[in-house]
Amino acid sequence: MISAAIAEPPTAATPTPTFSEAATQPILPPVVPWNGKSRALAVAKNDPWITPSEKTDFRTTPSYDETMAWLRKLAAAAPELKMISLGKSPEGRDIWMVIASREKKFTPEELRKNGKAIVFAQAGIHPGEIDGKDAGLMLLRDMTVRGTKRDLLEHANFLFVPIFNVDGHERSSKFGRVNQRGPEEVGWRTNSKNLNLNRDYAKIDTPEMEAMIRALNQWQPDLYVDIHVTDGADYQYDITFGFNGAGGHSPAIASWLERTFTPAVTNDLAAMGHIPGSTDAANWIDPFDLSKGINAWLANPRYSNGYGDARHLPAVLVENHSLKPYDQRVLGTYVFLESTIRFTAKNEKTLRQAVETDRRAKVATIPLSWDVDLAAPVTDTIDYKAIESRTFPSAISGGLRIEFTGKPVTTKIPYRRPHVTASVARPKAYWIPPAWSEVVQRLQLHGIQFERISQPRDVKVTMYRLESMRIQGTDESKRAVEEPQPFEGRVQITAQPVAEPRTEHYVAGSVRVPADQPLGDLVAVLLEPASPDSFLQWGFFDEIFQHTEYIEGYILEPMAERMLGSDPKLAEEFRQKLASDDAFRASSKERLRWFYSKTPFLDERWKLYPVGREE
Ligand SMILES: [Zn+2]
C-alpha cells in the first residue's frame, strides 16, 4: 500500500495486502541482475564440505551452534587449523577464533616467528551483517581440505573470528535487518546488554571488546579487517571498503592502503564480476540529493577503523551493500578476503615499513577530531556509480521521499574531505591519580605503557579547568536532539578545557603515561578532554562536576559584609555585577554563591580535570 510506487503497484490482479502482510514485508528497491564469475566459488550440492549457507543457496545463515560445529569438523580434518576462544560473552558464549597456519603454529609467539604476514578478519560485530562469516567458512575450507586455495597459507597466516558479537547473533529473527536483502533470519546489532561493539573500541565497556583488544595485542596482526553491511542509499557498488585516510594518525599506513592495497584488491574484485567502491559511497551529504556529493570519513577510535588508525594498526572496514542479494555479498566478501590475504602476503615488507614509520613519527601536533566543511568550495569530484533516483513530496512524512528506480547511471559528483577541527600539542607524559583506576585499567588493556610511582611526587603540569559542561544532547548522526540522553550506557559530556599550570602533588600509586611511545596518539585521544572519544567525554570523570560542600547562608551573610567592608575593590566588583547582570541581581542563591566563590572554602578542585600534562 503506502510504498507501492517502489514495488509493483497494486492492480486488479494483486489483491490489497492484509495489514499483517503490509507491516511485515519490507518493500526494497528493485534488484539489479548480477551473474559474476565468483559464482563458481560455491561448491556443488554433493560436496562433502558444503557450508550450511551454500546448502540453502545462500538463503539462510547458520546459527552459532551450527557454525561452530561445522568449523570444529573442519578443524578436525585440517591440521592447519585450530580454534581457540578469545573470551566469553555476557551470556557465556565463547568468542571463537580460527587460526590458519600451514606450519601449524598456534601460539602468537610461534606464529609471529615464521615471519609471514598475519591477516586478521572478523565477522559479525553487527550480527545482522553476517556476510563475512559465511564467506570465511568457504575460504577456510578451500585453503585446507578442498585445496583450491592452498597457496594462500604459503605466504600468510590467517586469523578469523566468524562471529564477534555472539550473543547478538543468537537474537535471531526475520526482523533483524529491514533494509537488507537476506539472509532470511539474522541476529541483532547490539550485544545482550544492548551495547554496540563498534562504538566500544576506545572505552572497552564490554567483555567482548576486552577479549578482542587482548587478541589484537597478543597476535599483532599486520592487517585487521572488520566486515559489515551498509544501510543507506542505493547505488551500484556491491562491495565497498575503506580506512582512515590522509589527515589521520597513520599517514604512511593510509598511503599504503590507498595507493598499494586498494587498486590491487579493486582489480581482483572487478575481475570476478563485482562492483567494488569506497565506503564513502554511502556518505551522501544530502540523503535526498546525490548531486550535492559525498564526503570522506575519518573515524574516531570508537570504531574499528578509527581505532586501527589511532594505534597504527592497518584496519580496513568492509561494507557490503545491503540491497544486493546475500549470495552476491558473500561471494564478494570471499574474493575480498582472498585478494587481501594474497596481496598482504606479497607486500608484507612495505606494509611493515609503513607501520614502523607511523609508530615512530610521534608528530608534535596530534589531531583529535575532524569534520567536513560544507560551506567550502568544492575542489574534488568523482565518477559515482549511482542508481537513478527521484525525489518528491511525501504525504506520509510531510517531508521528502526518495525512490530508486533500479537503473544504473554514472554521474560526476562533488567529493569533500574532512579537515582537523581539534588538535593538541604532544606533551611529554600524562599523570593520572590512582583514584581513576577504571581509566588506568583500560589504558593497560589497550597495551599502553606507563609507570606507577611508589613514592609521592610533586610535578609541574598543565591541568584543565573544565568550563561550560554540558551533557551531550546530540545523537550519533549529529541531528540536533534537544533533550540530553544516555548513549551506549553512559552519560556523555562535553566541556571547555581551560589550561591551568600547577604544581600537582601525585600520591604513591599515581601513573605516568609517556606520550612518546608507539601508542602515544592513542594516549592523547583517550586522555585529552577535547577528543570525542576521550574518557572525559564518555563520562568516566562525571564526578568532578559536582559540589560536595556548601556554606550556610547565616554564616556567609556576616562574612560577606566583612569582606565588602575590608576590600573596596571587591565592593566595586559586586556593585557592577548587580548593575549589569539582571539574572544575578534577581537570584539570592547566585549572589551568595558569588561571595562563597571568593573564599577559599569553595572546593578548589571543582571542575578540575585530574589528569595532568607534563609538558
Ligand atoms: Zn555494521
Side-chain angles (χ1 to χ4, degrees), residues 67-320:
T67 305
M68 300 314 158
W70 192 91
L71 278 170
R72 267 193 288 274
K73 215 175 96 191
L74 182 71
E80 310 93 314
L81 301 184
K82 187 176 179 184
M83 290 170 72
I84 63 160
S85 170
L86 300 182
K88 287 208 189 282
S89 69
E91 290 184 348
R93 291 183 185 88
D94 280 300
I95 301 164
W96 291 105
M97 178 173 85
V98 184
I99 308 162
S101 149
R102 204 188 61 167
E103 295 77 18
K104 308 171 196 60
K105 301 297 185 198
F106 299 127
T107 67
E109 300 71 31
E110 285 181 323
L111 197 70
R112 199 79 204 157
K113 247 188 251 158
N114 74 15
K116 296 179 184 179
I118 301 176
V119 174
F120 187 135
Q122 80 189 14
I125 190 171
H126 293 152
E129 310 164 12
I130 201 59
D131 313 12
K133 176 187 70 182
D134 289 314
L137 263 50
M138 293 168 67
L139 187 61
L140 286 169
R141 165 197 67 204
D142 292 350
M143 54 170 64
T144 58
V145 292
R146 188 158 173 257
T148 51
K149 307 286 178 186
R150 201 176 286 283
D151 65 301
L152 287 177
L153 290 182
E154 268 171 39
H155 307 290
N157 309 299
F158 182 46
L159 306 176
F160 180 62
V161 172
I163 308 170
F164 180 16
N165 177 3
V166 287
D167 292 351
H169 187 273
E170 293 309 278
R171 185 183 161 188
S172 181
S173 81
K174 280 185 199 158
F175 306 114
R177 289 279 295 167
V178 66
N179 307 320
Q180 181 175 301
R181 202 162 245 130
E184 275 173 8
E185 294 192 10
V186 293
W188 194 253
R189 184 177 185 81
T190 45
N191 79 351
S192 48
K193 220 179 156 190
N194 206 28
L195 292 175
N196 186 339
L197 300 188
N198 203 26
R199 305 295 180 272
D200 197 31
Y201 277 88
K203 63 182 170 60
I204 324 183
D205 279 339
T206 61
E208 293 96 328
M209 189 52 70
E210 189 175 330
M212 182 55 67
I213 304 285
R214 273 190 215 286
L216 292 176
N217 277 318
Q218 280 175 355
W219 294 89
Q220 296 175 41
D222 293 294
L223 192 75
Y224 180 43
V225 178
D226 180 26
I227 305 164
H228 293 247
V229 180
T230 61
D231 287 292
D234 197 3
Y235 41 71
Q236 295 174 53
Y237 309 107
D238 59 352
I239 179 166
T240 65
F241 59 98
F243 39 83
N244 270 18
H249 296 284
S250 303
I253 292 169
S255 160
W256 187 91
L257 287 169
E258 194 169 328
R259 290 184 202 161
T260 309
F261 175 84
T262 297
V265 174
T266 299
N267 277 343
D268 286 353
L269 281 161
M272 291 300 274
H274 291 277
I275 309 139
S278 158
T279 42
D280 296 338
N283 305 336
W284 288 30
I285 285 164
D286 180 339
F288 295 101
D289 186 0
L290 178 59
S291 72
K292 290 188 185 152
I294 58 170
N295 62 270
W297 177 46
L298 277 159
N300 291 118
R302 70 184 61 177
Y303 305 99
S304 62
N305 44 335
Y307 182 65
D309 181 42
R311 62 174 296 151
H312 315 308
L313 162 66
V316 179
L317 173 72
V318 176
E319 291 277 4
N320 289 317

Side-chain angles (χ1 to χ4, degrees), residues 524-541:
V525 298
L526 293 173
L527 294 180
E528 285 291 339
S531 157
D533 275 332
S534 59
F535 291 122
L536 183 279
Q537 291 204 25
W538 273 114
F540 284 78
F541 291 95

Side-chain angles (χ1 to χ4, degrees), residues 573-614:
E573 201 186 326
F574 182 54
R575 258 194 303 277
Q576 275 181 16
K577 187 126 179 95
L578 284 177
S580 65
D581 187 339
D582 293 344
F584 179 77
R585 192 175 55 248
S587 166
S588 54
K589 227 181 187 172
E590 281 307 304
R591 287 163 64 156
L592 288 176
R593 179 149 194 90
W594 187 83
F595 282 100
Y596 185 24
S597 75
K598 303 291 179 191
T599 78
F601 291 99
L602 184 93
D603 179 10
E604 186 271 329
R605 299 191 73 86
W606 181 48
K607 303 188 293 189
L608 187 68
Y609 181 53
V611 177
R613 284 169 56 96
E614 182 185 323

